[in-house]
Amino acid sequence: MNNIESQTSVNIGVDVGKANLDIALHPSGQFYTIPNSEAHIRRFIKILKGYSIERIVVEATGRYEHALVQACDQAGLPIIVVNPTSVRRYAQAIGVLAKTDRIDAQVIARYAATLKPELKPIPDKISQKIKDLLVRRSQLLEMTTMEKNRLQILPKTLHRSIKSLLKILQTQIETITRQIEQEVAKVDHWRIKMEILTSVPGVGKVLAYTLLSELPELGSLNRKEIAALVGVAPINRDSGKLNGKRRIRGGRHRIRTVMFMAMLSSIQCNPMFKRFYEHLKDQGKIPKVAIVACMRKMIVVLNTMIKNQEPWRQQMT
Protein backbone atom coordinates (compact mmCIF):
# COMPACT_ATOMS: atom_id res chain seq x y z
CA MET A 1 0.00 0.00 0.00
CA ASN A 2 1.45 3.37 -1.04
CA ASN A 3 0.80 6.82 0.46
CA ILE A 4 -1.71 7.80 -2.25
CA GLU A 5 -3.82 4.71 -1.52
CA SER A 6 -3.74 5.36 2.23
CA GLN A 7 -4.95 8.95 1.73
CA THR A 8 -7.80 8.11 -0.67
CA SER A 9 -11.14 7.50 1.04
CA VAL A 10 -12.36 3.97 0.53
CA ASN A 11 -15.61 2.11 1.05
CA ILE A 12 -15.28 -1.53 2.00
CA GLY A 13 -17.69 -4.36 1.29
CA VAL A 14 -17.46 -7.65 3.15
CA ASP A 15 -19.15 -10.85 2.03
CA VAL A 16 -19.44 -13.01 5.12
CA GLY A 17 -19.21 -16.78 5.10
CA LYS A 18 -18.91 -19.33 7.87
CA ALA A 19 -15.26 -20.05 6.98
CA ASN A 20 -14.04 -16.91 5.18
CA LEU A 21 -14.51 -13.18 4.81
CA ASP A 22 -14.23 -11.82 1.26
CA ILE A 23 -13.30 -8.14 1.36
CA ALA A 24 -13.44 -5.64 -1.51
CA LEU A 25 -12.19 -2.03 -1.45
CA HIS A 26 -13.85 0.61 -3.62
CA PRO A 27 -12.70 2.37 -5.77
CA SER A 28 -9.23 0.80 -5.75
CA GLY A 29 -10.54 -2.68 -6.62
CA GLN A 30 -8.29 -4.36 -4.05
CA PHE A 31 -9.57 -7.69 -2.80
CA TYR A 32 -8.70 -9.91 0.17
CA THR A 33 -9.90 -13.23 1.53
CA ILE A 34 -9.21 -14.06 5.16
CA PRO A 35 -10.44 -16.81 7.51
CA ASN A 36 -13.45 -15.76 9.60
CA SER A 37 -11.68 -16.06 12.94
CA GLU A 38 -10.96 -13.54 15.67
CA ALA A 39 -7.19 -13.83 15.27
CA HIS A 40 -7.20 -13.23 11.52
CA ILE A 41 -9.73 -10.40 11.86
CA ARG A 42 -7.51 -8.63 14.42
CA ARG A 43 -4.53 -8.85 12.11
CA PHE A 44 -6.50 -7.55 9.14
CA ILE A 45 -7.87 -4.62 11.13
CA LYS A 46 -4.29 -3.43 11.60
CA ILE A 47 -4.02 -3.28 7.80
CA LEU A 48 -7.35 -1.45 7.48
CA LYS A 49 -6.21 1.25 9.89
CA GLY A 50 -3.74 2.35 7.22
CA TYR A 51 -6.64 3.45 4.99
CA SER A 52 -8.93 6.45 5.15
CA ILE A 53 -12.20 4.54 5.50
CA GLU A 54 -15.61 6.10 4.90
CA ARG A 55 -17.53 3.00 5.88
CA ILE A 56 -17.29 -0.78 6.08
CA VAL A 57 -20.52 -2.49 5.07
CA VAL A 58 -21.45 -6.06 5.90
CA GLU A 59 -24.70 -7.94 5.39
CA ALA A 60 -26.62 -9.33 8.35
CA THR A 61 -26.13 -13.10 8.23
CA GLY A 62 -27.63 -13.93 11.60
CA ARG A 63 -24.38 -14.82 13.35
CA TYR A 64 -21.27 -15.13 11.20
CA GLU A 65 -20.65 -11.36 10.97
CA HIS A 66 -20.54 -10.79 14.75
CA ALA A 67 -16.79 -11.28 15.26
CA LEU A 68 -15.96 -8.77 12.50
CA VAL A 69 -18.56 -6.23 13.63
CA GLN A 70 -17.43 -6.30 17.26
CA ALA A 71 -13.73 -6.10 16.34
CA CYS A 72 -14.26 -3.13 13.98
CA ASP A 73 -16.44 -1.34 16.53
CA GLN A 74 -13.82 -1.80 19.26
CA ALA A 75 -11.14 -0.50 16.87
CA GLY A 76 -13.22 2.61 16.12
CA LEU A 77 -13.80 1.68 12.47
CA PRO A 78 -17.14 2.73 10.86
CA ILE A 79 -18.85 -0.65 10.49
CA ILE A 80 -22.46 -0.86 9.27
CA VAL A 81 -24.69 -3.94 9.16
CA VAL A 82 -27.26 -3.79 6.35
CA ASN A 83 -30.21 -5.87 5.17
CA PRO A 84 -29.11 -8.41 2.51
CA THR A 85 -32.31 -7.72 0.54
CA SER A 86 -31.29 -4.09 0.07
CA VAL A 87 -27.92 -5.12 -1.35
CA ARG A 88 -29.50 -7.70 -3.67
CA ARG A 89 -31.94 -5.14 -5.04
CA TYR A 90 -29.06 -2.73 -5.62
CA ALA A 91 -27.18 -5.46 -7.52
CA GLN A 92 -30.19 -6.05 -9.74
CA ALA A 93 -30.58 -2.31 -10.31
CA ILE A 94 -27.00 -1.99 -11.59
CA GLY A 95 -27.31 -5.12 -13.69
CA VAL A 96 -25.14 -7.50 -11.65
CA LEU A 97 -26.84 -10.88 -11.89
CA ALA A 98 -23.84 -13.16 -11.35
CA LYS A 99 -23.19 -14.24 -7.78
CA THR A 100 -19.84 -15.30 -6.36
CA ASP A 101 -18.17 -14.37 -3.08
CA ARG A 102 -15.83 -11.94 -4.85
CA ILE A 103 -18.61 -10.31 -6.87
CA ASP A 104 -20.83 -10.05 -3.79
CA ALA A 105 -18.07 -8.25 -1.86
CA GLN A 106 -17.53 -5.84 -4.76
CA VAL A 107 -21.27 -5.13 -5.02
CA ILE A 108 -21.46 -4.44 -1.27
CA ALA A 109 -18.51 -2.02 -1.57
CA ARG A 110 -20.20 -0.19 -4.45
CA TYR A 111 -23.44 -0.14 -2.48
CA ALA A 112 -21.56 1.47 0.41
CA ALA A 113 -20.00 4.13 -1.82
CA THR A 114 -23.16 4.92 -3.77
CA LEU A 115 -25.99 4.76 -1.23
CA LYS A 116 -23.89 5.69 1.80
CA PRO A 117 -25.91 3.80 4.45
CA GLU A 118 -26.16 5.58 7.77
CA LEU A 119 -23.91 4.63 10.67
CA LYS A 120 -25.87 3.08 13.53
CA PRO A 121 -24.74 2.27 17.07
CA ILE A 122 -23.40 -1.26 17.45
CA PRO A 123 -24.83 -3.10 20.47
CA ASP A 124 -22.35 -3.48 23.31
CA LYS A 125 -21.58 -6.93 24.72
CA ILE A 126 -24.35 -6.81 27.34
CA SER A 127 -26.89 -5.57 24.77
CA GLN A 128 -25.86 -8.33 22.38
CA LYS A 129 -26.08 -10.92 25.15
CA ILE A 130 -29.59 -9.75 26.06
CA LYS A 131 -30.56 -9.81 22.40
CA ASP A 132 -29.28 -13.39 22.09
CA LEU A 133 -31.16 -14.41 25.22
CA LEU A 134 -34.36 -12.85 23.85
CA VAL A 135 -33.94 -14.74 20.58
CA ARG A 136 -33.47 -17.97 22.50
CA ARG A 137 -36.54 -17.23 24.64
CA SER A 138 -38.60 -16.70 21.48
CA GLN A 139 -37.34 -20.01 20.07
CA LEU A 140 -38.35 -21.82 23.26
CA LEU A 141 -41.80 -20.22 23.16
CA GLU A 142 -42.24 -21.31 19.54
CA MET A 143 -41.29 -24.87 20.47
CA THR A 144 -43.77 -24.71 23.37
CA THR A 145 -46.55 -23.64 21.02
CA MET A 146 -45.74 -26.47 18.60
CA GLU A 147 -45.81 -29.06 21.40
CA LYS A 148 -49.13 -27.71 22.72
CA ASN A 149 -50.57 -28.00 19.22
CA ARG A 150 -49.35 -31.60 19.02
CA LEU A 151 -51.04 -32.26 22.36
CA GLN A 152 -54.35 -31.42 20.69
CA ILE A 153 -53.95 -33.66 17.65
CA LEU A 154 -51.81 -36.65 18.65
CA PRO A 155 -53.20 -39.72 20.45
CA LYS A 156 -53.24 -39.89 24.26
CA THR A 157 -50.55 -42.55 24.22
CA LEU A 158 -48.06 -39.78 23.26
CA HIS A 159 -49.32 -37.13 25.71
CA ARG A 160 -46.89 -38.19 28.44
CA SER A 161 -43.92 -37.56 26.15
CA ILE A 162 -45.28 -34.16 25.06
CA LYS A 163 -46.09 -33.02 28.62
CA SER A 164 -42.62 -34.06 29.77
CA LEU A 165 -41.02 -31.92 27.05
CA LEU A 166 -43.34 -29.00 27.85
CA LYS A 167 -42.11 -29.04 31.46
CA ILE A 168 -38.49 -28.94 30.29
CA LEU A 169 -39.23 -26.06 27.92
CA GLN A 170 -41.01 -24.09 30.66
CA THR A 171 -38.01 -24.55 32.97
CA GLN A 172 -35.70 -23.31 30.21
CA ILE A 173 -37.92 -20.26 29.57
CA GLU A 174 -37.87 -19.35 33.27
CA THR A 175 -34.08 -19.74 33.40
CA ILE A 176 -33.55 -17.55 30.32
CA THR A 177 -35.94 -14.90 31.70
CA ARG A 178 -33.97 -14.73 34.95
CA GLN A 179 -30.72 -14.35 32.99
CA ILE A 180 -32.21 -11.44 31.03
CA GLU A 181 -33.27 -9.71 34.25
CA GLN A 182 -29.80 -10.19 35.75
CA GLU A 183 -28.07 -8.70 32.69
CA VAL A 184 -30.40 -5.67 32.61
CA ALA A 185 -29.79 -5.02 36.30
CA LYS A 186 -26.03 -4.66 35.64
CA VAL A 187 -26.42 -1.43 33.63
CA ASP A 188 -27.88 1.72 35.20
CA HIS A 189 -29.19 3.32 32.01
CA TRP A 190 -30.81 0.04 30.97
CA ARG A 191 -32.48 -0.30 34.37
CA ILE A 192 -33.82 3.28 34.25
CA LYS A 193 -35.18 2.85 30.73
CA MET A 194 -36.70 -0.47 31.78
CA GLU A 195 -38.55 1.21 34.65
CA ILE A 196 -39.85 3.95 32.34
CA LEU A 197 -41.06 1.52 29.67
CA THR A 198 -42.76 -0.93 32.03
CA SER A 199 -44.57 1.92 33.79
CA VAL A 200 -46.95 1.93 30.78
CA PRO A 201 -49.94 -0.39 31.31
CA GLY A 202 -49.66 -3.12 28.68
CA VAL A 203 -45.90 -2.87 28.24
CA GLY A 204 -44.41 -5.98 29.81
CA LYS A 205 -40.83 -7.01 30.35
CA VAL A 206 -40.49 -8.88 27.07
CA LEU A 207 -41.50 -5.84 24.98
CA ALA A 208 -39.28 -3.57 27.08
CA TYR A 209 -36.28 -5.91 26.70
CA THR A 210 -36.92 -6.18 22.96
CA LEU A 211 -37.05 -2.40 22.53
CA LEU A 212 -33.87 -1.90 24.56
CA SER A 213 -31.88 -4.45 22.58
CA GLU A 214 -33.39 -4.00 19.09
CA LEU A 215 -34.10 -0.26 19.10
CA PRO A 216 -31.18 1.66 20.64
CA GLU A 217 -32.39 4.77 18.75
CA LEU A 218 -35.47 4.98 21.02
CA GLY A 219 -35.60 8.47 22.55
CA SER A 220 -33.21 10.06 20.05
CA LEU A 221 -35.49 10.37 17.00
CA ASN A 222 -38.64 12.33 16.22
CA ARG A 223 -42.09 10.70 16.01
CA LYS A 224 -42.02 10.12 12.24
CA GLU A 225 -38.50 8.71 12.28
CA ILE A 226 -39.13 6.25 15.12
CA ALA A 227 -42.39 5.02 13.54
CA ALA A 228 -40.64 4.49 10.19
CA LEU A 229 -37.72 2.70 11.85
CA VAL A 230 -40.03 0.20 13.54
CA GLY A 231 -42.05 -0.16 10.35
CA VAL A 232 -45.45 1.07 11.57
CA ALA A 233 -45.56 4.26 9.47
CA PRO A 234 -47.95 3.91 6.49
CA ILE A 235 -46.27 4.32 3.10
CA ASN A 236 -48.08 6.16 0.30
CA ARG A 237 -48.85 4.27 -2.93
CA ASP A 238 -50.06 7.12 -5.16
CA SER A 239 -49.37 7.67 -8.86
CA GLY A 240 -51.03 10.25 -11.08
CA LYS A 241 -54.76 10.19 -10.36
CA LEU A 242 -54.50 6.89 -8.53
CA ASN A 243 -54.67 7.03 -4.75
CA GLY A 244 -53.58 3.63 -3.52
CA LYS A 245 -53.95 2.16 -0.06
CA ARG A 246 -51.26 3.14 2.41
CA ARG A 247 -49.44 0.15 3.86
CA ILE A 248 -46.65 -0.41 6.34
CA ARG A 249 -43.39 -1.74 4.91
CA GLY A 250 -39.88 -2.53 6.06
CA GLY A 251 -38.77 -1.72 9.58
CA ARG A 252 -37.71 -4.14 12.29
CA HIS A 253 -39.83 -7.24 12.09
CA ARG A 254 -39.03 -8.67 15.52
CA ILE A 255 -40.09 -5.45 17.27
CA ARG A 256 -43.36 -5.32 15.34
CA THR A 257 -44.15 -8.94 16.20
CA VAL A 258 -43.63 -8.39 19.94
CA MET A 259 -45.47 -5.03 19.84
CA PHE A 260 -48.46 -6.60 18.10
CA MET A 261 -48.84 -9.16 20.90
CA ALA A 262 -48.37 -6.46 23.55
CA MET A 263 -51.02 -4.27 21.93
CA LEU A 264 -53.59 -7.06 22.18
CA SER A 265 -53.10 -6.74 25.94
CA SER A 266 -52.84 -2.94 25.96
CA ILE A 267 -56.23 -2.36 24.33
CA GLN A 268 -57.72 -4.31 27.23
CA CYS A 269 -55.83 -2.78 30.18
CA ASN A 270 -54.67 0.67 29.03
CA PRO A 271 -57.50 3.26 28.85
CA MET A 272 -55.71 5.45 26.28
CA PHE A 273 -55.07 2.67 23.77
CA LYS A 274 -58.50 1.12 24.43
CA ARG A 275 -60.25 4.41 23.60
CA PHE A 276 -58.06 4.98 20.54
CA TYR A 277 -58.69 1.44 19.28
CA GLU A 278 -62.46 1.75 19.74
CA HIS A 279 -62.41 5.16 18.03
CA LEU A 280 -60.67 3.66 14.98
CA LYS A 281 -63.11 0.74 14.90
CA ASP A 282 -66.03 3.20 15.00
CA GLN A 283 -64.49 4.92 11.96
CA GLY A 284 -64.67 1.67 10.05
CA LYS A 285 -61.08 0.49 10.41
CA ILE A 286 -60.63 -3.28 10.41
CA PRO A 287 -59.14 -4.68 13.66
CA LYS A 288 -55.66 -5.35 12.26
CA VAL A 289 -55.35 -1.82 10.83
CA ALA A 290 -56.59 -0.36 14.12
CA ILE A 291 -54.04 -2.39 16.09
CA VAL A 292 -51.17 -1.23 13.85
CA ALA A 293 -52.29 2.38 14.33
CA CYS A 294 -52.27 1.78 18.10
CA MET A 295 -48.76 0.32 17.80
CA ARG A 296 -47.66 3.48 16.01
CA LYS A 297 -49.15 5.59 18.79
CA MET A 298 -47.46 3.42 21.42
CA ILE A 299 -43.96 3.68 19.94
CA VAL A 300 -44.35 7.46 19.63
CA VAL A 301 -45.42 7.71 23.29
CA LEU A 302 -42.57 5.45 24.46
CA ASN A 303 -40.08 7.44 22.38
CA THR A 304 -41.22 10.68 24.04
CA MET A 305 -41.08 9.16 27.52
CA ILE A 306 -37.51 7.92 27.03
CA LYS A 307 -36.47 11.25 25.48
CA ASN A 308 -37.89 13.19 28.46
CA GLN A 309 -36.83 10.56 31.01
CA GLU A 310 -40.30 10.47 32.55
CA PRO A 311 -42.52 7.51 33.45
CA TRP A 312 -46.14 6.99 32.45
CA ARG A 313 -48.58 9.43 33.99
CA GLN A 314 -52.32 8.99 34.35
CA GLN A 315 -52.76 12.34 32.58
CA MET A 316 -51.53 10.59 29.41
CA THR A 317 -54.78 8.65 29.36
Side-chain angles (χ1 to χ4, degrees):
M1 178 180 67
N2 58 42
N3 290 333
I4 295 177
E5 287 177 331
S6 64
Q7 293 170 6
T8 303
S9 293
V10 298
N11 284 272
I12 299 175
V14 183
D15 182 64
V16 178
K18 180 179 180 180
N20 295 316
L21 300 174
D22 294 285
I23 303 160
L25 278 63
H26 181 84
S28 69
Q30 289 172 280
F31 181 81
Y32 302 88
T33 296
I34 65 170
N36 190 359
S37 70
E38 292 184 3
H40 286 88
I41 289 170
R42 281 196 302 269
R43 285 198 288 270
F44 191 71
I45 281 177
K46 292 179 181 179
I47 297 174
L48 291 182
K49 283 191 171 183
Y51 290 89
S52 174
I53 300 173
E54 286 190 14
R55 58 186 59 76
I56 303 168
V57 173
V58 58
E59 294 176 315
T61 63
R63 276 283 169 263
Y64 298 132
E65 80 279 8
H66 283 190
L68 174 67
V69 170
Q70 290 296 331
C72 286
D73 187 51
Q74 290 171 9
L77 297 177
I79 182 82
I80 304 169
V81 182
V82 299
N83 189 323
T85 303
S86 300
V87 176
R88 202 66 220 144
R89 286 175 179 166
Y90 171 77
Q92 292 169 349
I94 62 175
V96 178
L97 302 179
K99 194 171 182 354
T100 67
D101 295 338
R102 186 183 187 109
I103 290 173
D104 286 349
Q106 291 169 339
V107 167
I108 296 170
R110 288 180 63 183
Y111 171 92
T114 305
L115 298 186
K116 303 183 185 303
E118 182 183 357
L119 261 172
K120 297 174 184 177
I122 302 299
D124 56 37
K125 285 187 176 180
I126 291 181
S127 299
Q128 186 60 53
K129 185 174 182 179
I130 292 171
K131 186 174 179 180
D132 292 340
L133 288 167
L134 283 167
V135 170
R136 183 55 183 158
R137 188 180 185 278
S138 295
Q139 292 169 344
L140 292 168
L141 287 171
E142 288 174 10
M143 286 189 279
T144 299
T145 300
M146 288 189 288
E147 287 302 304
K148 286 181 178 178
N149 290 338
R150 293 181 182 117
L151 195 62
Q152 301 299 317
I153 60 175
L154 290 176
K156 288 186 178 181
T157 53
L158 297 175
H159 284 194
R160 184 176 180 181
S161 170
I162 296 170
K163 289 179 179 178
S164 176
L165 183 54
L166 282 171
K167 286 182 180 179
I168 294 171
L169 289 171
Q170 185 57 40
T171 300
Q172 285 291 311
I173 290 168
E174 292 170 359
T175 300
I176 293 286
T177 302
R178 283 195 299 270
Q179 286 180 278
I180 294 170
E181 292 173 350
Q182 290 167 1
E183 293 301 324
V184 168
K186 292 178 182 178
V187 186
D188 287 341
H189 69 86
W190 272 66
R191 188 171 62 252
I192 292 168
K193 287 182 178 180
M194 185 74 183
E195 291 170 358
I196 292 172
L197 293 172
T198 54
S199 70
V200 180
V203 176
K205 289 184 178 180
V206 173
L207 175 56
Y209 291 144
T210 302
L211 291 173
L212 289 175
S213 62
E214 302 273 355
L215 195 63
E217 300 90 348
L218 190 66
S220 64
L221 303 176
N222 63 40
R223 57 191 299 136
K224 290 184 179 179
E225 290 170 335
I226 200 69
L229 197 59
V230 174
V232 290
I235 306 298
N236 291 342
R237 293 175 62 87
D238 302 333
S239 179
K241 295 181 179 180
L242 173 66
N243 292 321
K245 281 188 176 182
R246 297 198 303 167
R247 302 178 185 275
I248 60 171
R249 292 186 64 185
R252 300 183 183 174
H253 173 73
R254 189 179 297 279
I255 296 175
R256 280 202 312 281
T257 300
V258 177
M259 281 195 72
F260 186 88
M261 300 305 297
M263 187 49 64
L264 296 178
S265 170
S266 294
I267 58 178
Q268 300 297 324
C269 68
N270 189 310
M272 181 179 76
F273 294 117
K274 184 176 183 178
R275 283 200 302 269
F276 187 54
Y277 176 75
E278 294 298 336
H279 171 69
L280 293 170
K281 290 281 296 297
D282 291 341
Q283 288 185 325
K285 303 294 184 184
I286 64 173
K288 187 175 180 180
V289 171
I291 289 174
V292 171
C294 289
M295 289 162 58
R296 183 164 59 252
K297 189 176 184 69
M298 174 183 273
I299 199 63
V300 168
V301 169
L302 295 176
N303 186 60
T304 302
M305 289 170 60
I306 294 295
K307 185 178 292 185
N308 297 334
Q309 291 288 287
E310 60 179 16
W312 175 265
R313 292 176 284 106
Q314 288 302 319
Q315 294 93 312
M316 291 181 177
T317 64

